[in-house]
Structure formats: structure tokens, C-alpha cells
Amino acid sequence: TKLPNFQVFAYSMDVSVKNTLEVEKMLFELKDEFNNKYDILLQNYSKKKKRGNQMLLIKNGYLLDPESGYEGEADILVENGRIKKLYKGLTGLVDESLFPDLEVIDAEGLFVAPGLVDVHVHFRDPGFLYKEDIETGAKAAAKGGYTTVVLMANTKPVVDNEETLSYILEKGKTTGIHVETCCSVSKELKGKEVCDYSLLLEKGAVG
């Protein structure tokens, strides 16, 4: 399907996002790159949150849905950080008056897509912080629409032990995106002595 010449943008709605605070954090990270659009969005998300269900409507966007293969106009109704209803092929069907505290994002001219996944990234943390670290790498990922990344094991020390693995995963939890990591099969990546690969997988390594 040939896509229209829209402004390049991906609003990352990851189905695993648990609450609007995570969405709010991502919007702040993206603000510098999309000043005009996000000044409006940030004003909406900075309003005092009221008790009860938090409803969000993303309307007039161009949806890219890899699960169903659908590409086209759609409105998306979100409740408490979870997609409640997709209105594919039609817009303007949601009666906004039914939701007094409804947050509305007008995504006209924008792409709306699930968070992207990159399974080969280098955040250089620990050991090479003059190049990158987990926090700055995650910010760059979020700005590009990536909500899940898998880090490589060639850090210093190498991810061949539980301590280094735990350091990366715990630091990743503070970033607002999903930070996963591989581990090394051999100690110090030397290919001589096998590390406790099964233990590292059990403790959270993804490969």
C-alpha cells in the first residue's frame, strides 16, 4: 500500500504500557523534536488527573497495524493505558461528550503505530559511558518510536555474570521503555570458557 506523504511521526502506543504516566514521560522526551504538536499534547497531559478511569482518544491518524495488516485512517480509544476500541476506516465516531475527562490527541497528518522493536542496539553501558549510556540510549530510542530494545553483551564488564545483567535490567526499568539485554555465551567473549548461560536466561537475559 502506498502511504500518503504525511509528516513522519510515530505515536508509540505500546499495549504493555500500564498507565498514563509512562505515556506522559515519553511525550516529554519527544517534545524537542516535535515542538508544535507536543506543546499541545503536553498541556493536555499536564492537567490535574482526576480519580476514576483515564480515557484517551487518538483521532484522525493514519494507523499502521502489523497484527491485522490494516493501514488506513482510524480512531483509537484508550482506557487506563490499554486500547479499548479501534475504529478502523472511519473517524469521528466517538461521542466525546460521553467522556467528561477525555484526553484527545488530534493525529491528523500523523502515523499512529505500535512501539517499534530493535533487537540489536549498543548503549555502551557499563564501561563505555563516554559513548552512550542506558538513559541517553533509551531517550534516543523513544524519540524514534522504539519502545523495546535488546542490548548487546559487549560491555565492560561483559554481560557474562548475574551482577552485570542485573545492573543493566534495573537501570533499564527507570527509562520509560522496555530495555532487554543479551548475555555472552563465553566468559569475557573470549570463546574459551562457557559462562552459566542457563542462569543468566533465568535471571532475565533474552538471548
Side-chain angles (χ1 to χ4, degrees):
T1 303
K2 184 177 181 181
L3 300 180
N5 186 26
F6 286 159
Q7 175 184 352
V8 177
F9 168 70
Y11 181 83
S12 301
M13 178 52 65
D14 190 312
V15 294
S16 65
V17 172
K18 295 181 179 179
N19 53 59
T20 54
L21 292 179
E22 292 185 47
V23 178
E24 181 177 1
K25 182 176 180 179
M26 293 189 68
L27 293 180
F28 273 95
E29 298 295 345
L30 288 161
K31 181 177 182 295
D32 290 338
E33 189 167 346
F34 304 103
N35 286 313
N36 294 333
K37 289 282 184 180
Y38 276 90
D39 281 342
I40 298 173
L41 300 186
L42 290 172
Q43 288 175 14
N44 291 337
Y45 272 88
S46 295
K47 293 177 181 178
K48 184 178 180 180
K49 302 293 188 301
K50 297 182 179 180
R51 292 183 178 179
N53 287 352
Q54 297 297 321
M55 304 298 294
L56 169 68
L57 174 64
I58 306 172
K59 65 179 184 179
N60 302 323
Y62 191 91
L63 176 64
L64 305 176
D65 183 4
E67 183 174 357
S68 67
Y70 176 79
E71 295 183 7
E73 293 184 343
D75 285 353
I76 304 174
L77 186 63
V78 181
E79 181 178 13
N80 295 327
R82 301 278 182 170
I83 294 176
K84 180 179 179 67
K85 180 72 175 179
L86 289 176
Y87 299 88
K88 297 179 181 179
L90 297 170
T91 58
L93 294 181
V94 179
D95 185 353
E96 298 179 23
S97 65
L98 296 177
F99 308 98
D101 300 321
L102 181 67
E103 301 281 354
V104 179
I105 294 176
D106 188 350
E108 183 176 1
L110 306 176
F111 292 122
V112 182
L116 304 177
V117 178
D118 191 337
V119 297
H120 188 132
V121 302
H122 295 273
F123 284 178
R124 311 298 181 183
D125 184 0
F128 304 97
L129 301 185
Y130 62 94
K131 294 182 178 181
E132 184 74 276
D133 62 36
I134 292 174
E135 182 179 359
T136 59
K139 288 180 179 179
K143 285 187 177 182
Y146 288 85
T147 57
T148 299
V149 295
V150 179
L151 311 188
M152 297 298 100
N154 57 337
T155 51
K156 188 176 182 180
V158 172
V159 188
D160 60 5
N161 61 86
E162 186 177 346
E163 183 179 359
T164 304
L165 173 64
S166 177
Y167 163 83
I168 292 173
L169 295 180
E170 290 303 314
K171 194 169 182 180
K173 290 178 182 178
T174 68
T175 64
I177 70 170
H178 303 284
V179 176
E180 310 289 350
T181 186
C182 293
C183 64
S184 175
V185 176
S186 64
K187 292 187 177 181
E188 298 182 353
L189 295 171
K190 292 182 177 180
K192 296 181 179 180
E193 185 179 356
V194 177
C195 65
D196 195 342
Y197 193 67
S198 297
L199 174 64
L200 295 177
L201 291 178
E202 180 183 328
K203 295 299 182 179
V206 295

